[in-house]
Amino acid sequence: MAWAWNTPENVPNDGPKITAIAIAFTTVSLLLVVLRAYVRFFLVKAVGADDWVIFTTWLYATDTRMVTETKWGLGLLVLSDMPDEDVYNFGLLQYIAAPFYITSILGFKLSLLLSYLRIIPGRGWRIAIIIVAVACTMFHTSFLMVQIFLCTPVAKQWDPAITEGSCIPPIPCFTSMASFTIFFDLIVMFLPFPTLIRSRIQKRRKAVLLGLFATGLFITVTQILRIQTIYKLVDHLGSAPIIMWSAVENNLGVIITCIPTLAPLVKFFAEKASSSGSGGADSAATGAAKAAKASSSSSPSSSYALQSLQPSGAGGRKGKGKGDGRKGGLAISREVSVTTCSGGSSTTTTGKNHNNESQESMIQHHYHHHHHHHPEHQGGGSL
């Protein structure tokens, strides 16, 4: 039986390959979204706007629609093999799918920008992030409008029976749009680099974070490969490689956006492995677990949350007492309750300005009195 409907058997068709790629990337992105949801809802217990945006973005990036397109002729290699009865549905499905693609590539950028607002301090940086978010949204909205009204009348995009009217030349239009998309990809991916480079966190951790954000270059590479296929838009079948690379791009955007948020999960399982290997006192662990549970009930933050990055040379307000003007590193309130977990036992202590690198990711804020009297500590967030 032929892959595409209304076509004879043994017709050359890349439909199965396009379907396999779409399903593979959609599955991987779904796995990363589920893991992110677990981290944010259960481990960190701090769900933000960036999480809801990326969850919604995955729905738009889902490429099951592409599988349906291949059944109506997407992937056929010879134009004469395209059945006339498939042309209408083929064009209509492509028209419907375009807004989903544009929304998904905007969604992962907005998710990253919203996460930057939680971890990057400084009014100037926040204004810059908001400006980029607004500009990015305006560009993708204009891209969407062009895509929707590419032809006059609109139905000319999918209905071959309409011979009157006109369409914007697709090759120069999509090439320029793809170029602007790459431009915004690079801005969004490298926006946190100056703050990360200046922050006073461990060099190894800094290198890992920089590397994670730099993986966004794979999206740019995908866009460049996609641009190379735009010149094939001369007939119905020329869109197959563009759509295939679009499936890779939007799912890759979701994957790369989710990866940095999984650090707490890696740390959690590393501690579990360490605990099972070293044993420990069950009674101490039970007592500490109860203390940690009581502690977590008074704070929405998790001990696994990555706190906001304070650049080197950025201090707190003056005149608030010793320790408020501490420069660099992670933003930590003056009085915190520190929960450490190592091996099979846990301990809870109270102190001032704990900055031990081995405990850095295990710090859980309890603002109490200072949450209200020191607003400079309210800007911290978890990635």
Side-chain angles (χ1 to χ4, degrees), residues 82-152:
M82 169 69 82
D84 292 338
E85 55 266 43
D86 288 3
V87 173
Y88 184 95
N89 289 330
F90 174 78
L92 182 58
L93 284 172
Q94 288 204 334
Y95 178 79
I96 294 172
F100 285 86
Y101 163 73
I102 296 170
T103 304
S104 65
I105 61 175
L106 169 63
F108 74 77
K109 294 183 185 72
L110 289 181
S111 179
L112 279 174
L113 290 169
L114 288 170
S115 68
Y116 296 164
L117 286 176
R118 289 195 287 112
I119 67 171
I120 299 180
R123 185 171 179 270
W125 278 110
R126 293 178 68 84
I127 292 175
I129 293 170
I130 292 172
I131 290 175
V132 171
V134 171
C136 197
T137 302
M138 292 176 64
F139 161 71
H140 286 82
T141 301
S142 65
F143 187 6
L144 178 61
M145 292 298 101
V146 170
Q147 180 67 55
I148 291 175
F149 301 104
L150 193 67
C151 293
T152 305

Side-chain angles (χ1 to χ4, degrees), residues 85-297:
E85 55 266 43
D86 288 3
V87 173
Y88 184 95
N89 289 330
F90 174 78
L92 182 58
L93 284 172
Q94 288 204 334
Y95 178 79
I96 294 172
F100 285 86
Y101 163 73
I102 296 170
T103 304
S104 65
I105 61 175
L106 169 63
F108 74 77
K109 294 183 185 72
L110 289 181
S111 179
L112 279 174
L113 290 169
L114 288 170
S115 68
Y116 296 164
L117 286 176
R118 289 195 287 112
I119 67 171
I120 299 180
R123 185 171 179 270
W125 278 110
R126 293 178 68 84
I127 292 175
I129 293 170
I130 292 172
I131 290 175
V132 171
V134 171
C136 197
T137 302
M138 292 176 64
F139 161 71
H140 286 82
T141 301
S142 65
F143 187 6
L144 178 61
M145 292 298 101
V146 170
Q147 180 67 55
I148 291 175
F149 301 104
L150 193 67
C151 293
T152 305
V154 173
K156 186 177 177 63
Q157 293 193 58
W158 68 83
D159 190 350
I162 299 177
T163 57
E164 298 179 353
S166 61
C167 295
I168 299 174
I171 294 178
C173 175
F174 293 149
T175 301
S176 60
M177 291 296 182
S179 301
F180 275 106
T181 301
I182 292 175
F183 172 73
F184 279 106
D185 283 344
L186 292 175
I187 290 180
V188 172
M189 292 300 171
F190 290 101
L191 193 59
F193 272 47
T195 300
L196 282 171
I197 292 172
R198 292 168 54 208
S199 64
R200 295 182 60 187
I201 60 178
Q202 284 182 330
K203 290 184 178 180
R204 184 178 67 177
R205 180 169 297 175
K206 182 186 297 187
V208 170
L209 288 173
L210 289 171
L212 287 174
F213 285 115
T215 54
L217 288 174
F218 287 109
I219 301 175
T220 303
V221 172
T222 303
Q223 269 283 4
I224 294 173
L225 293 173
R226 182 175 177 272
I227 288 178
Q228 303 302 314
T229 63
I230 290 179
Y231 73 93
K232 296 182 179 180
L233 283 174
V234 293
D235 54 49
H236 295 299
L237 306 184
S239 60
I242 299 174
I243 293 175
M244 183 184 70
W245 283 112
S246 297
V248 175
E249 179 192 2
N250 54 20
N251 281 287
L252 194 59
V254 173
I255 292 168
I256 290 175
T257 304
C258 290
I259 286 176
T261 66
L262 303 185
L265 189 64
V266 175
K267 190 172 293 293
F268 173 78
F269 282 109
E271 290 168 2
K272 283 284 188 181
S274 175
S275 175
S276 61
S278 59
D282 291 339
S283 59
T286 303
K290 290 181 179 179
K293 183 177 181 180
S295 174
S296 63
S297 65

Side-chain angles (χ1 to χ4, degrees), residues 8-82:
E9 294 187 18
N10 302 320
V11 169
N13 194 344
D14 282 341
K17 180 181 74 173
I18 296 173
T19 298
I21 292 173
I23 293 176
F25 275 88
T26 301
T27 303
V28 173
S29 65
L30 173 61
L31 175 61
L32 270 292
V33 167
V34 170
L35 290 176
R36 175 173 182 150
Y38 173 75
V39 170
R40 303 299 294 172
F41 279 98
F42 302 105
L43 205 56
V44 174
K45 297 180 181 178
V47 182
D50 55 322
D51 300 304
W52 292 113
V53 169
I54 202 63
F55 298 156
T56 306
T57 297
W58 182 85
L59 295 176
Y60 282 92
T62 303
D63 287 312
T64 53
R65 297 177 303 275
M66 189 179 300
V67 178
T68 306
E69 287 184 60
T70 62
K71 303 303 290 184
W72 288 104
L74 182 68
L76 289 173
L77 301 180
V78 181
L79 183 60
S80 59
D81 291 332
M82 169 69 82

Side-chain angles (χ1 to χ4, degrees), residues 322-340:
K322 185 178 180 180
D324 275 0
R326 188 178 182 87
K327 298 181 178 181
L330 298 176
I332 302 172
S333 59
R334 290 202 307 165
E335 293 186 8
V336 296
S337 174
V338 182
T339 304
T340 62

